[in-house]
Amino acid sequence: MISQKTRYLGIVLILFLLLLFYKCPFQFITGLPCPGCNMKTSLYYLLKGNIQLSLYYHALLIPTLICGVLCLLKPEKRKMILIIWCTLMIVYYIYRMILYFPNSPMNYSKNNLIYLLFRHA
C-alpha cells in the first residue's frame, strides 16, 4: 500500500514536471495563445519578486491562486468561485487579444500543427 506521504510527493513531482515541460495544446494546434498563456511566465516573475513583470504577463495569476485556495477551503462555494473565475478569464482573454495580439505577450506561434499542415496548400 502506498503511503499518504508518497502520494503527496508524487503529486508535487508531477506538478513540478508539468510546470517545467508543459506545452499548451491549444497553442500547439492553432498557434493562437490560450486564456492561460503566459501564466507560467507570470508565476516565474512573481516568485522572483518582480510583481510588475508578473502582472504584465498575466494579471490574473494572483486571483487564480486565490481562487484555487478558496476552492480548497470552501468546497460548498466551489461552483460559484469557478464560474466567477471562468468569466474573469474569458473577459481578460478577449481584452488581451484585442489589445496585444499578435505582439508580446500574446504572440502567434508559427510552430503549430495547422500552419505546418497547410503551409503548402
Side-chain angles (χ1 to χ4, degrees), residues 67 70-84:
C67 285
L70 286 175
C71 283
L72 291 173
L73 296 176
K74 303 212 178 244
E76 69 280 356
K77 296 191 179 201
R78 185 176 299 149
K79 185 176 180 180
M80 181 192 65
I81 293 167
L82 290 176
I83 288 171
I84 292 169

Side-chain angles (χ1 to χ4, degrees), residues 38-52:
N38 296 310
M39 204 169 270
K40 187 168 66 168
T41 307
S42 179
L43 179 63
Y44 171 79
Y45 285 112
L46 182 67
L47 293 174
K48 287 193 73 122
N50 192 337
I51 295 174
Q52 185 177 1

